[in-house]
Amino acid sequence: MNSIVEKAYAKLNLSLDIRGRHPDGYHEMLMVMQTIDLCDDIKITLNDEGRFTAASNLGFLPADRRNIAAAAAELFLKEAGMEGAGADIVMQKRIPVCAGMGGGSSDAAAVLRALNRLTGAGFSAEKLEAMGLELGSDVPFCVRGGTALASGRGEKLAHAAPLPDCDIVVCKPRFSISTPTLFRLVDGCKLRYHPDTRGLTAALESGSVADVARRMYNVFETVLPRRYVDISAIKSVFMDFGALGTVMTGTGSAVFAIFDNTDTAAQARDALRERYGTAYLAKPVGKVL
Ligand code: C5P
């Protein structure tokens, strides 16, 4: 067997805080991250020609080493000492791109997990996370997934109690928001409000979905330029449908809400899909490694 399939799950930020800026330009983050069941399907086939390809159903994504999934395979095979080997990757992408849902990061993490099994390299989860950080700040979380408290660039991962079963609706409006631009806007102002991260992790510990949802908060929302007014409009629609809480994930542009009723969640999804672009029903997922 020289092929393997793996699922790459999307992530959401239940909270996102920026605590400072490092001399290298990266920001000190404090985030509660959650894996959901919306996923890309990935098939990896090893080759002996040292070729790295990444085909997908999205024609605008690069299909060579510039694709983070192919870059992950190249890094892994180098670390495993498999010089000369390459990987042909085929992806069925479902996670919206440029959404703050970690689609590319999750693809890269899935490639690392899958190649670890396929090659029998036997790297520890910690080693896979360290490789992941070379590819992107959100990749280390995506290696194991579940629910976690992430700090540093996003690579310092600490335990958080799993989000109990609930109905999640994610809406990805048609526009995207530039990540570097949002970080620059944060640099240009003093953040007045911060999420109650400790309260949020305590709510997870207590198992109260309503208490979790009420504490969801993302500092990037406070610096959004006026033209992204649809972000708050989508949040209003969610609350009108009876959401327990709603927030933008990462640097957007996806916004999600937590519901305690599947029927109203589905109604909110249908209404948002009609008005703003794409919308999905999702469930929380626990650790994947
Ligand atoms: O690490 P990654 O490639 O995912 O980061 C994308 C961009 O986001 C970086 O170039 C940087 O501008 C910004 N970033 C940051 N601080 C972090 C993570 C990302 O400034 N902790």
Side-chain angles (χ1 to χ4, degrees):
M1 275 295 280
N2 69 341
S3 282
I4 189 164
V5 294
E6 181 77 9
K7 288 196 181 302
Y9 293 98
K11 66 89 177 160
L12 297 173
N13 292 93
L14 299 181
S15 69
L16 189 153
D17 198 7
I18 299 176
R19 310 297 309 180
R21 187 159 181 247
H22 293 289
D24 65 3
Y26 274 94
H27 294 75
E28 178 64 30
M29 313 296 291
L30 187 60
M31 311 181 279
V32 179
M33 320 271 282
Q34 175 65 50
T35 301
I36 57 168
D37 60 1
L38 177 65
C39 66
D40 297 340
D41 288 332
I42 299 196
K43 182 176 186 192
I44 310 169
T45 305
L46 292 177
N47 65 62
D48 296 329
E49 286 90 53
R51 182 179 65 240
F52 290 91
T53 64
S56 80
N57 54 315
L58 299 181
F60 57 86
L61 293 180
D64 55 19
R65 285 176 166 89
R66 287 169 301 163
N67 189 300
I68 190 170
E74 186 170 19
L75 176 64
F76 182 95
L77 293 176
K78 188 172 116 239
E79 292 282 329
M82 294 176 65
E83 277 84 27
D88 295 302
I89 301 170
V90 179
M91 298 185 285
Q92 174 71 33
K93 296 279 304 170
R94 292 190 204 86
I95 306 170
V97 174
C98 292
M101 299 175 71
S105 305
S106 183
D107 294 342
V111 166
L112 298 177
R113 280 196 308 274
L115 286 178
N116 205 32
R117 285 209 308 280
L118 181 64
T119 64
F123 290 130
S124 66
E126 290 77 12
K127 172 67 181 170
L128 297 180
E129 288 171 3
M131 279 187 231
L133 184 60
E134 292 187 38
L135 298 158
S137 301
D138 285 338
V139 182
F141 165 74
C142 293
V143 167
R144 274 189 273 199
T147 312
L149 179 65
S151 59
R153 268 174 64 186
E155 84 286 9
K156 292 182 189 144
L157 298 163
H159 167 84
L163 178 65
D165 181 52
C166 57
D167 293 292
I168 300 169
V169 182
V170 188
C171 175
K172 165 69 176 72
R174 291 181 188 90
F175 59 86
S176 293
I177 304 174
S178 149
T179 295
T181 302
L182 274 199
F183 274 109
R184 262 200 306 278
L185 287 170
V186 163
D187 291 339
C189 71
K190 169 138 182 56
L191 295 172
R192 290 174 60 194
Y193 301 102
H194 294 272
D196 175 12
T197 308
R198 201 173 292 182
L200 179 54
T201 53
L204 285 166
E205 205 63 54
S206 77
S208 165
V209 172
D211 286 348
V212 170
R214 212 188 355 250
R215 289 176 172 81
M216 298 193 303
Y217 189 85
N218 180 343
V219 293
F220 280 124
E221 283 184 38
T222 63
V223 300
L224 278 179
R226 231 181 269 279
R227 66 179 177 281
Y228 299 125
V229 62
D230 276 357
I231 297 295
S232 53
I234 292 166
K235 292 176 67 174
S236 297
V237 173
F238 275 135
M239 293 316 284
D240 289 347
F241 273 96
L244 299 173
T246 174
V247 72
M248 185 173 83
T249 176
T251 52
S253 60
V255 179
F256 70 96
I258 293 183
F259 288 83
D260 58 1
N261 181 302
T262 310
D263 292 334
T264 47
Q267 286 165 18
R269 175 203 54 193
D270 294 344
L272 286 164
R273 187 177 276 168
E274 194 153 300
R275 269 183 251 178
Y276 292 102
T278 53
Y280 311 81
L281 271 183
K283 289 278 191 184
V285 168
K287 292 222 179 300
V288 293
L289 181 70

